[in-house]
Amino acid sequence: MNKPLSQERIEALRAINAIESTIRPSVNSIGMLVAVFTAMGSGDTVQRALYRVERCAPEDVIKEQLIDVLYEIGEGAIALKLERRLKELREGESSDAIAGLWELVDLLPHDAYMSFGFATECAQARCGEHPNPQELLRDMDFDREGFRFGPAWEFWGNRSSEAIRVAREAFIANLLYAAGLCDEPDYPEPLAD
């Protein structure tokens, strides 16, 4: 049986993440959104959205609620397309989503590195502690082709696919959070034995 991460360790990791997020320079989430959607092939759509919203809403509203504002001003078609593209980005499986995530990795290299750490912590929180977490970090990669997980990720046996799924989701969520494109991710619940 794999030992789950202790609640104390999870709380310590949350505290470290909170400290890092307060000292991290703030990012321009709209700039990140434009960069990501451009890499995904939807640069024109996001530019149209910003143009339409800029005419009707103050800038601080744009940053916080772009899609909601688009619906309010009657631009539901653009809002729906942006929602679909954000969902695709969060899933991280299509070639467009991988291109968008790669753009964020390029723009936010430190946050990408930290996202790998968060991904391995989440996999362990879900499936149990790995005897060598550094090995997990070395055996996880993301590039223009997508994710790759090496032999260290087979440690959990039949739970390995769950560990990999959780790690992928955690990496993406943490990277999007760093870019200001989603809420802060949380650690998953451990699997029942």
Side-chain angles (χ1 to χ4, degrees):
M1 181 169 114
N2 297 322
K3 181 179 158 191
L5 288 178
S6 70
Q7 193 61 35
E8 294 82 27
R9 183 169 174 198
I10 289 173
E11 291 302 320
L13 292 169
R14 283 184 182 139
I16 290 168
N17 287 340
I19 292 168
E20 286 180 342
S21 68
T22 58
I23 61 175
R24 175 188 305 129
S26 64
V27 296
N28 177 343
S29 58
I30 293 296
M32 292 291 159
L33 188 68
V34 170
V36 167
F37 280 178
T38 300
M40 292 176 72
S42 294
D44 290 343
T45 302
V46 75
Q47 291 294 348
R48 253 189 337 270
L50 291 172
Y51 173 75
R52 300 274 201 292
V53 169
E54 227 172 50
R55 294 181 320 163
C56 302
E59 189 175 322
D60 59 329
V61 173
I62 294 171
K63 290 179 183 176
E64 296 302 317
Q65 303 164 334
L66 176 63
I67 291 173
D68 292 339
V69 172
L70 284 167
Y71 279 120
E72 287 174 17
I73 64 171
E75 295 293 344
I78 295 174
L80 191 58
K81 185 169 185 175
L82 292 180
E83 283 180 323
R84 283 195 307 261
R85 295 302 264 177
L86 280 172
K87 181 177 185 269
E88 182 181 354
L89 187 65
R90 285 184 195 107
E91 291 168 354
E93 294 182 15
S94 72
S95 60
D96 283 350
I98 290 169
L101 292 169
W102 181 251
E103 184 68 16
L104 287 179
V105 167
D106 191 44
L107 292 170
L108 303 168
H110 175 74
D111 293 302
Y113 175 77
M114 298 305 290
S115 294
F116 281 119
F118 183 69
T120 61
E121 293 163 7
C122 284
Q124 292 179 91
R126 180 80 172 150
C127 297
E129 284 191 61
H130 190 280
N132 187 351
Q134 290 300 316
E135 188 178 3
L136 289 175
L137 280 171
R138 285 190 298 271
D139 256 6
M140 180 182 182
D141 190 27
F142 180 81
D143 61 20
R144 292 181 192 273
E145 309 272 318
F147 286 96
R148 277 186 298 293
F149 293 87
W153 287 85
E154 296 301 317
F155 166 77
W156 290 282
N158 62 354
R159 290 184 171 184
S160 293
S161 61
E162 177 68 6
I164 289 170
R165 182 191 67 75
V166 166
R168 288 178 84 253
E169 289 176 2
F171 175 85
I172 293 168
N174 201 62
L175 188 58
L176 293 177
Y177 171 68
L181 301 178
C182 74
D183 294 333
E184 183 175 12
D186 207 352
Y187 289 88
E189 293 294 319
L191 284 173
D193 292 323

Short mmCIF file of all heavy atoms in Angstrom, two decimals, residues 68-126:
data_model
loop_
_atom_site.label_atom_id
_atom_site.label_comp_id
_atom_site.label_asym_id
_atom_site.label_seq_id
_atom_site.Cartn_x
_atom_site.Cartn_y
_atom_site.Cartn_z
N ASP A 68 -17.75 36.83 -19.68
CA ASP A 68 -19.04 37.34 -19.18
C ASP A 68 -19.40 38.67 -19.84
O ASP A 68 -20.55 38.89 -20.21
CB ASP A 68 -18.99 37.52 -17.66
CG ASP A 68 -18.89 36.20 -16.91
OD1 ASP A 68 -19.25 35.16 -17.49
OD2 ASP A 68 -18.43 36.21 -15.75
N VAL A 69 -18.41 39.54 -19.96
CA VAL A 69 -18.67 40.84 -20.59
C VAL A 69 -19.08 40.66 -22.04
O VAL A 69 -19.99 41.34 -22.53
CB VAL A 69 -17.44 41.77 -20.45
CG1 VAL A 69 -17.62 43.04 -21.27
CG2 VAL A 69 -17.18 42.12 -19.00
N LEU A 70 -18.44 39.73 -22.74
CA LEU A 70 -18.81 39.47 -24.14
C LEU A 70 -20.28 39.06 -24.24
O LEU A 70 -21.00 39.53 -25.12
CB LEU A 70 -17.91 38.39 -24.74
CG LEU A 70 -16.51 38.85 -25.12
CD1 LEU A 70 -15.62 37.65 -25.40
CD2 LEU A 70 -16.54 39.79 -26.30
N TYR A 71 -20.72 38.19 -23.35
CA TYR A 71 -22.14 37.80 -23.36
C TYR A 71 -23.04 39.01 -23.09
O TYR A 71 -24.06 39.19 -23.76
CB TYR A 71 -22.42 36.71 -22.32
CG TYR A 71 -22.05 35.32 -22.79
CD1 TYR A 71 -21.10 34.58 -22.10
CD2 TYR A 71 -22.65 34.74 -23.90
CE1 TYR A 71 -20.77 33.30 -22.51
CE2 TYR A 71 -22.32 33.46 -24.32
CZ TYR A 71 -21.38 32.75 -23.62
OH TYR A 71 -21.03 31.47 -24.03
N GLU A 72 -22.66 39.84 -22.12
CA GLU A 72 -23.47 40.99 -21.76
C GLU A 72 -23.62 42.00 -22.88
O GLU A 72 -24.65 42.67 -23.00
CB GLU A 72 -22.88 41.69 -20.52
CG GLU A 72 -23.09 40.91 -19.24
CD GLU A 72 -22.36 41.55 -18.07
OE1 GLU A 72 -21.96 42.73 -18.15
OE2 GLU A 72 -22.19 40.84 -17.06
N ILE A 73 -22.59 42.12 -23.72
CA ILE A 73 -22.67 43.12 -24.79
C ILE A 73 -23.15 42.50 -26.11
O ILE A 73 -23.06 43.13 -27.16
CB ILE A 73 -21.32 43.84 -25.00
CG1 ILE A 73 -20.22 42.90 -25.46
CG2 ILE A 73 -20.93 44.61 -23.75
CD1 ILE A 73 -18.94 43.58 -25.89
N GLY A 74 -23.67 41.28 -26.04
CA GLY A 74 -24.27 40.67 -27.23
C GLY A 74 -23.30 39.99 -28.16
O GLY A 74 -23.61 39.77 -29.33
N GLU A 75 -22.13 39.64 -27.66
CA GLU A 75 -21.12 38.95 -28.48
C GLU A 75 -20.99 37.50 -28.04
O GLU A 75 -19.89 36.98 -27.82
CB GLU A 75 -19.77 39.68 -28.38
CG GLU A 75 -19.78 41.08 -28.96
CD GLU A 75 -19.97 41.11 -30.48
OE1 GLU A 75 -19.81 40.06 -31.14
OE2 GLU A 75 -20.29 42.20 -30.99
N GLY A 76 -22.12 36.82 -27.94
CA GLY A 76 -22.15 35.43 -27.46
C GLY A 76 -21.37 34.48 -28.34
O GLY A 76 -20.77 33.52 -27.85
N ALA A 77 -21.36 34.71 -29.65
CA ALA A 77 -20.64 33.80 -30.56
C ALA A 77 -19.14 33.82 -30.27
O ALA A 77 -18.49 32.77 -30.22
CB ALA A 77 -20.92 34.17 -32.01
N ILE A 78 -18.61 35.02 -30.06
CA ILE A 78 -17.18 35.12 -29.74
C ILE A 78 -16.91 34.51 -28.36
O ILE A 78 -15.94 33.78 -28.17
CB ILE A 78 -16.70 36.59 -29.79
CG1 ILE A 78 -16.81 37.13 -31.21
CG2 ILE A 78 -15.27 36.71 -29.29
CD1 ILE A 78 -16.51 38.62 -31.33
N ALA A 79 -17.79 34.81 -27.40
CA ALA A 79 -17.62 34.28 -26.04
C ALA A 79 -17.63 32.75 -26.06
O ALA A 79 -16.80 32.11 -25.40
CB ALA A 79 -18.72 34.81 -25.13
N LEU A 80 -18.55 32.17 -26.82
CA LEU A 80 -18.64 30.72 -26.90
C LEU A 80 -17.38 30.11 -27.50
O LEU A 80 -16.87 29.10 -27.01
CB LEU A 80 -19.88 30.33 -27.72
CG LEU A 80 -20.28 28.87 -27.68
CD1 LEU A 80 -20.54 28.40 -26.26
CD2 LEU A 80 -21.52 28.66 -28.55
N LYS A 81 -16.85 30.74 -28.53
CA LYS A 81 -15.62 30.24 -29.14
C LYS A 81 -14.46 30.31 -28.16
O LYS A 81 -13.68 29.36 -28.04
CB LYS A 81 -15.30 31.02 -30.41
CG LYS A 81 -14.10 30.45 -31.14
CD LYS A 81 -13.92 31.02 -32.51
CE LYS A 81 -12.77 30.30 -33.20
NZ LYS A 81 -12.59 30.68 -34.57
N LEU A 82 -14.35 31.42 -27.42
CA LEU A 82 -13.28 31.53 -26.43
C LEU A 82 -13.45 30.50 -25.32
O LEU A 82 -12.46 29.90 -24.86
CB LEU A 82 -13.24 32.94 -25.85
CG LEU A 82 -12.82 34.07 -26.78
CD1 LEU A 82 -12.84 35.40 -26.05
CD2 LEU A 82 -11.45 33.81 -27.39
N GLU A 83 -14.68 30.27 -24.87
CA GLU A 83 -14.93 29.24 -23.85
C GLU A 83 -14.48 27.87 -24.34
O GLU A 83 -13.87 27.10 -23.60
CB GLU A 83 -16.41 29.21 -23.47
CG GLU A 83 -16.84 30.33 -22.57
CD GLU A 83 -18.32 30.25 -22.22
OE1 GLU A 83 -19.14 29.87 -23.09
OE2 GLU A 83 -18.65 30.58 -21.07
N ARG A 84 -14.84 27.55 -25.59
CA ARG A 84 -14.44 26.24 -26.15
C ARG A 84 -12.92 26.12 -26.22
O ARG A 84 -12.37 25.07 -25.92
CB ARG A 84 -15.05 26.04 -27.53
CG ARG A 84 -16.51 25.66 -27.51
CD ARG A 84 -16.98 25.12 -28.85
NE ARG A 84 -16.69 25.99 -29.96
CZ ARG A 84 -17.55 26.83 -30.52
NH1 ARG A 84 -18.78 26.92 -30.06
NH2 ARG A 84 -17.19 27.60 -31.53
N ARG A 85 -12.25 27.20 -26.62
CA ARG A 85 -10.79 27.16 -26.73
C ARG A 85 -10.14 27.04 -25.34
O ARG A 85 -9.15 26.34 -25.18
CB ARG A 85 -10.27 28.39 -27.47
CG ARG A 85 -10.70 28.45 -28.92
CD ARG A 85 -10.25 27.24 -29.70
NE ARG A 85 -9.01 27.55 -30.37
CZ ARG A 85 -8.32 26.70 -31.09
NH1 ARG A 85 -8.74 25.47 -31.25
NH2 ARG A 85 -7.20 27.05 -31.66
N LEU A 86 -10.70 27.73 -24.34
CA LEU A 86 -10.17 27.59 -22.98
C LEU A 86 -10.36 26.17 -22.46
O LEU A 86 -9.47 25.61 -21.82
CB LEU A 86 -10.84 28.59 -22.03
CG LEU A 86 -10.30 30.01 -22.08
CD1 LEU A 86 -11.17 30.94 -21.25
CD2 LEU A 86 -8.86 30.07 -21.60
N LYS A 87 -11.51 25.58 -22.74
CA LYS A 87 -11.75 24.20 -22.33
C LYS A 87 -10.75 23.27 -23.01
O LYS A 87 -10.18 22.38 -22.37
CB LYS A 87 -13.18 23.79 -22.69
CG LYS A 87 -13.55 22.38 -22.28
CD LYS A 87 -15.01 22.08 -22.59
CE LYS A 87 -15.41 20.74 -22.08
NZ LYS A 87 -15.23 19.67 -23.01
N GLU A 88 -10.53 23.48 -24.29
CA GLU A 88 -9.56 22.68 -25.04
C GLU A 88 -8.16 22.84 -24.43
O GLU A 88 -7.42 21.86 -24.28
CB GLU A 88 -9.57 23.14 -26.50
CG GLU A 88 -8.64 22.38 -27.41
CD GLU A 88 -8.70 22.90 -28.83
OE1 GLU A 88 -9.53 23.78 -29.17
OE2 GLU A 88 -7.87 22.42 -29.63
N LEU A 89 -7.81 24.05 -24.05
CA LEU A 89 -6.52 24.32 -23.43
C LEU A 89 -6.39 23.58 -22.10
O LEU A 89 -5.37 22.95 -21.81
CB LEU A 89 -6.35 25.82 -23.22
CG LEU A 89 -5.00 26.31 -22.74
CD1 LEU A 89 -3.91 26.04 -23.77
CD2 LEU A 89 -5.07 27.80 -22.41
N ARG A 90 -7.45 23.62 -21.28
CA ARG A 90 -7.43 22.93 -19.97
C ARG A 90 -7.29 21.42 -20.13
O ARG A 90 -6.70 20.76 -19.29
CB ARG A 90 -8.68 23.26 -19.18
CG ARG A 90 -8.67 24.64 -18.59
CD ARG A 90 -9.89 24.89 -17.72
NE ARG A 90 -10.03 26.30 -17.46
CZ ARG A 90 -10.94 27.08 -18.00
NH1 ARG A 90 -11.86 26.59 -18.81
NH2 ARG A 90 -10.97 28.38 -17.72
N GLU A 91 -7.88 20.88 -21.19
CA GLU A 91 -7.76 19.43 -21.43
C GLU A 91 -6.36 19.08 -21.91
O GLU A 91 -5.88 17.98 -21.62
CB GLU A 91 -8.81 18.99 -22.45
CG GLU A 91 -10.22 19.06 -21.90
CD GLU A 91 -11.30 18.89 -22.96
OE1 GLU A 91 -10.96 18.82 -24.17
OE2 GLU A 91 -12.48 18.84 -22.57
N GLY A 92 -5.71 19.97 -22.63
CA GLY A 92 -4.31 19.80 -23.01
C GLY A 92 -4.00 18.64 -23.93
O GLY A 92 -2.88 18.13 -23.90
N GLU A 93 -4.95 18.22 -24.75
CA GLU A 93 -4.71 17.04 -25.58
C GLU A 93 -4.56 17.35 -27.07
O GLU A 93 -3.82 16.67 -27.77
CB GLU A 93 -5.82 16.02 -25.36
CG GLU A 93 -5.77 15.46 -23.95
CD GLU A 93 -6.83 14.42 -23.69
OE1 GLU A 93 -7.42 13.91 -24.66
OE2 GLU A 93 -7.06 14.12 -22.51
N SER A 94 -5.25 18.36 -27.57
CA SER A 94 -5.19 18.65 -29.00
C SER A 94 -3.85 19.31 -29.35
O SER A 94 -3.15 19.85 -28.48
CB SER A 94 -6.33 19.58 -29.41
OG SER A 94 -6.10 20.88 -28.90
N SER A 95 -3.50 19.27 -30.61
CA SER A 95 -2.26 19.92 -31.03
C SER A 95 -2.33 21.42 -30.79
O SER A 95 -1.32 22.05 -30.44
CB SER A 95 -1.96 19.61 -32.50
OG SER A 95 -3.00 20.06 -33.33
N ASP A 96 -3.50 22.02 -30.94
CA ASP A 96 -3.65 23.45 -30.66
C ASP A 96 -3.44 23.73 -29.17
O ASP A 96 -2.78 24.71 -28.80
CB ASP A 96 -5.04 23.95 -31.07
CG ASP A 96 -5.18 24.15 -32.57
OD1 ASP A 96 -4.15 24.09 -33.29
OD2 ASP A 96 -6.31 24.37 -33.02
N ALA A 97 -3.99 22.89 -28.31
CA ALA A 97 -3.81 23.09 -26.87
C ALA A 97 -2.34 22.93 -26.49
O ALA A 97 -1.82 23.72 -25.68
CB ALA A 97 -4.67 22.09 -26.09
N ILE A 98 -1.68 21.95 -27.06
CA ILE A 98 -0.25 21.76 -26.77
C ILE A 98 0.54 22.98 -27.22
O ILE A 98 1.43 23.46 -26.51
CB ILE A 98 0.25 20.46 -27.41
CG1 ILE A 98 -0.37 19.26 -26.66
CG2 ILE A 98 1.77 20.38 -27.39
CD1 ILE A 98 -0.18 17.93 -27.33
N ALA A 99 0.19 23.54 -28.38
CA ALA A 99 0.86 24.76 -28.85
C ALA A 99 0.62 25.92 -27.88
O ALA A 99 1.54 26.69 -27.58
CB ALA A 99 0.37 25.12 -30.25
N GLY A 100 -0.59 26.05 -27.38
CA GLY A 100 -0.90 27.10 -26.41
C GLY A 100 -0.16 26.92 -25.11
O GLY A 100 0.40 27.88 -24.54
N LEU A 101 -0.12 25.69 -24.61
CA LEU A 101 0.62 25.41 -23.38
C LEU A 101 2.11 25.64 -23.57
O LEU A 101 2.79 26.16 -22.68
CB LEU A 101 0.34 23.98 -22.91
CG LEU A 101 -1.08 23.72 -22.42
CD1 LEU A 101 -1.31 22.22 -22.23
CD2 LEU A 101 -1.38 24.48 -21.14
N TRP A 102 2.62 25.24 -24.73
CA TRP A 102 4.05 25.44 -25.01
C TRP A 102 4.38 26.93 -25.00
O TRP A 102 5.44 27.34 -24.53
CB TRP A 102 4.45 24.79 -26.32
CG TRP A 102 5.90 24.96 -26.61
CD1 TRP A 102 6.48 25.75 -27.56
CD2 TRP A 102 6.99 24.36 -25.90
NE1 TRP A 102 7.83 25.67 -27.49
CE2 TRP A 102 8.19 24.83 -26.47
CE3 TRP A 102 7.06 23.47 -24.82
CZ2 TRP A 102 9.44 24.43 -26.02
CZ3 TRP A 102 8.31 23.08 -24.37
CH2 TRP A 102 9.48 23.56 -24.96
N GLU A 103 3.47 27.75 -25.52
CA GLU A 103 3.67 29.20 -25.50
C GLU A 103 3.79 29.69 -24.05
O GLU A 103 4.64 30.52 -23.74
CB GLU A 103 2.52 29.91 -26.21
CG GLU A 103 2.68 31.40 -26.31
CD GLU A 103 3.80 31.84 -27.23
OE1 GLU A 103 4.30 31.04 -28.04
OE2 GLU A 103 4.20 33.01 -27.13
N LEU A 104 2.94 29.17 -23.17
CA LEU A 104 3.03 29.56 -21.75
C LEU A 104 4.34 29.09 -21.12
O LEU A 104 4.95 29.82 -20.33
CB LEU A 104 1.84 29.01 -20.96
CG LEU A 104 0.51 29.69 -21.21
CD1 LEU A 104 -0.58 29.02 -20.38
CD2 LEU A 104 0.58 31.18 -20.90
N VAL A 105 4.77 27.87 -21.46
CA VAL A 105 6.04 27.37 -20.94
C VAL A 105 7.17 28.31 -21.37
O VAL A 105 8.06 28.63 -20.57
CB VAL A 105 6.30 25.92 -21.43
CG1 VAL A 105 7.74 25.49 -21.17
CG2 VAL A 105 5.33 24.95 -20.77
N ASP A 106 7.11 28.76 -22.61
CA ASP A 106 8.12 29.67 -23.13
C ASP A 106 8.07 31.03 -22.44
O ASP A 106 9.11 31.62 -22.14
CB ASP A 106 7.93 29.82 -24.65
CG ASP A 106 9.10 30.52 -25.31
OD1 ASP A 106 10.26 30.18 -24.99
OD2 ASP A 106 8.85 31.40 -26.15
N LEU A 107 6.87 31.54 -22.19
CA LEU A 107 6.71 32.85 -21.56
C LEU A 107 6.95 32.82 -20.05
O LEU A 107 7.36 33.83 -19.46
CB LEU A 107 5.30 33.39 -21.82
CG LEU A 107 4.98 33.76 -23.26
CD1 LEU A 107 3.49 34.03 -23.42
CD2 LEU A 107 5.81 34.97 -23.69
N LEU A 108 6.66 31.69 -19.42
CA LEU A 108 6.74 31.57 -17.96
C LEU A 108 7.59 30.35 -17.56
O LEU A 108 7.10 29.41 -16.92
CB LEU A 108 5.34 31.42 -17.37
CG LEU A 108 4.33 32.52 -17.69
CD1 LEU A 108 2.93 32.08 -17.29
CD2 LEU A 108 4.72 33.80 -17.00
N PRO A 109 8.89 30.34 -17.89
CA PRO A 109 9.69 29.14 -17.64
C PRO A 109 9.78 28.74 -16.16
O PRO A 109 9.72 27.55 -15.83
CB PRO A 109 11.06 29.47 -18.21
CG PRO A 109 11.09 30.96 -18.34
CD PRO A 109 9.66 31.40 -18.51
N HIS A 110 9.89 29.73 -15.27
CA HIS A 110 9.96 29.39 -13.84
C HIS A 110 8.65 28.77 -13.38
O HIS A 110 8.64 27.77 -12.65
CB HIS A 110 10.28 30.63 -13.00
CG HIS A 110 10.25 30.36 -11.53
ND1 HIS A 110 11.24 29.65 -10.89
CD2 HIS A 110 9.32 30.66 -10.59
CE1 HIS A 110 10.92 29.53 -9.60
NE2 HIS A 110 9.77 30.14 -9.39
N ASP A 111 7.53 29.34 -13.81
CA ASP A 111 6.23 28.80 -13.43
C ASP A 111 6.01 27.41 -14.03
O ASP A 111 5.38 26.56 -13.40
CB ASP A 111 5.12 29.75 -13.86
CG ASP A 111 5.17 31.05 -13.07
OD1 ASP A 111 5.09 30.98 -11.83
OD2 ASP A 111 5.32 32.11 -13.68
N ALA A 112 6.54 27.18 -15.22
CA ALA A 112 6.45 25.84 -15.82
C ALA A 112 7.22 24.84 -14.97
O ALA A 112 6.73 23.74 -14.68
CB ALA A 112 6.98 25.86 -17.24
N TYR A 113 8.41 25.23 -14.54
CA TYR A 113 9.21 24.36 -13.67
C TYR A 113 8.45 24.06 -12.37
O TYR A 113 8.38 22.91 -11.93
CB TYR A 113 10.56 25.01 -13.38
CG TYR A 113 11.39 24.23 -12.39
CD1 TYR A 113 12.06 23.09 -12.77
CD2 TYR A 113 11.45 24.64 -11.06
CE1 TYR A 113 12.81 22.36 -11.85
CE2 TYR A 113 12.20 23.92 -10.14
CZ TYR A 113 12.87 22.79 -10.54
OH TYR A 113 13.59 22.06 -9.62
N MET A 114 7.87 25.10 -11.78
CA MET A 114 7.11 24.90 -10.55
C MET A 114 5.88 24.03 -10.80
O MET A 114 5.45 23.27 -9.93
CB MET A 114 6.70 26.26 -9.96
CG MET A 114 7.88 27.15 -9.57
SD MET A 114 9.06 26.37 -8.45
CE MET A 114 8.08 26.30 -6.97
N SER A 115 5.31 24.12 -11.99
CA SER A 115 4.15 23.30 -12.33
C SER A 115 4.51 21.82 -12.40
O SER A 115 3.69 20.97 -12.06
CB SER A 115 3.54 23.78 -13.65
OG SER A 115 3.02 25.09 -13.50
N PHE A 116 5.72 21.51 -12.84
CA PHE A 116 6.17 20.12 -12.81
C PHE A 116 6.21 19.61 -11.37
O PHE A 116 5.77 18.50 -11.07
CB PHE A 116 7.56 19.96 -13.44
CG PHE A 116 7.56 19.94 -14.94
CD1 PHE A 116 8.24 20.90 -15.65
CD2 PHE A 116 6.89 18.95 -15.64
CE1 PHE A 116 8.25 20.89 -17.03
CE2 PHE A 116 6.88 18.93 -17.02
CZ PHE A 116 7.58 19.90 -17.72
N GLY A 117 6.73 20.45 -10.46
CA GLY A 117 6.76 20.07 -9.05
C GLY A 117 5.37 19.86 -8.49
O GLY A 117 5.10 18.88 -7.78
N PHE A 118 4.46 20.78 -8.82
CA PHE A 118 3.08 20.65 -8.36
C PHE A 118 2.44 19.37 -8.91
O PHE A 118 1.71 18.68 -8.22
CB PHE A 118 2.27 21.89 -8.77
CG PHE A 118 0.85 21.88 -8.28
CD1 PHE A 118 0.56 22.02 -6.93
CD2 PHE A 118 -0.20 21.73 -9.17
CE1 PHE A 118 -0.75 22.01 -6.47
CE2 PHE A 118 -1.51 21.72 -8.72
CZ PHE A 118 -1.79 21.86 -7.37
N ALA A 119 2.75 19.05 -10.16
CA ALA A 119 2.19 17.85 -10.78
C ALA A 119 2.64 16.58 -10.06
O ALA A 119 1.82 15.69 -9.80
CB ALA A 119 2.60 17.78 -12.26
N THR A 120 3.92 16.51 -9.70
CA THR A 120 4.39 15.32 -8.99
C THR A 120 3.81 15.25 -7.58
O THR A 120 3.48 14.17 -7.10
CB THR A 120 5.93 15.26 -8.95
OG1 THR A 120 6.44 16.40 -8.26
CG2 THR A 120 6.52 15.19 -10.34
N GLU A 121 3.65 16.41 -6.93
CA GLU A 121 3.04 16.43 -5.60
C GLU A 121 1.58 15.95 -5.68
O GLU A 121 1.13 15.19 -4.82
CB GLU A 121 3.08 17.84 -5.02
CG GLU A 121 4.47 18.32 -4.70
CD GLU A 121 4.55 19.82 -4.51
OE1 GLU A 121 3.51 20.50 -4.51
OE2 GLU A 121 5.68 20.33 -4.39
N CYS A 122 0.86 16.39 -6.70
CA CYS A 122 -0.54 15.99 -6.85
C CYS A 122 -0.66 14.50 -7.13
O CYS A 122 -1.56 13.83 -6.60
CB CYS A 122 -1.22 16.80 -7.95
SG CYS A 122 -1.60 18.48 -7.43
N ALA A 123 0.22 13.97 -7.97
CA ALA A 123 0.19 12.54 -8.26
C ALA A 123 0.41 11.74 -6.97
O ALA A 123 -0.27 10.73 -6.73
CB ALA A 123 1.25 12.18 -9.30
N GLN A 124 1.33 12.21 -6.14
CA GLN A 124 1.59 11.53 -4.88
C GLN A 124 0.44 11.70 -3.90
O GLN A 124 0.10 10.77 -3.16
CB GLN A 124 2.89 12.03 -4.26
CG GLN A 124 4.12 11.63 -5.07
CD GLN A 124 5.37 12.16 -4.43
OE1 GLN A 124 5.97 11.49 -3.61
NE2 GLN A 124 5.74 13.39 -4.79
N ALA A 125 -0.16 12.87 -3.88
CA ALA A 125 -1.31 13.09 -2.99
C ALA A 125 -2.45 12.16 -3.38
O ALA A 125 -3.17 11.66 -2.51
CB ALA A 125 -1.77 14.55 -3.07
N ARG A 126 -2.60 11.91 -4.65
CA ARG A 126 -3.69 11.05 -5.15
C ARG A 126 -3.39 9.57 -4.99
O ARG A 126 -4.24 8.80 -4.58
CB ARG A 126 -3.96 11.38 -6.62
CG ARG A 126 -5.04 10.58 -7.26
CD ARG A 126 -6.39 11.12 -6.90
NE ARG A 126 -7.42 10.44 -7.67
CZ ARG A 126 -8.62 10.25 -7.24
NH1 ARG A 126 -8.99 10.71 -6.07
NH2 ARG A 126 -9.51 9.64 -7.99
#
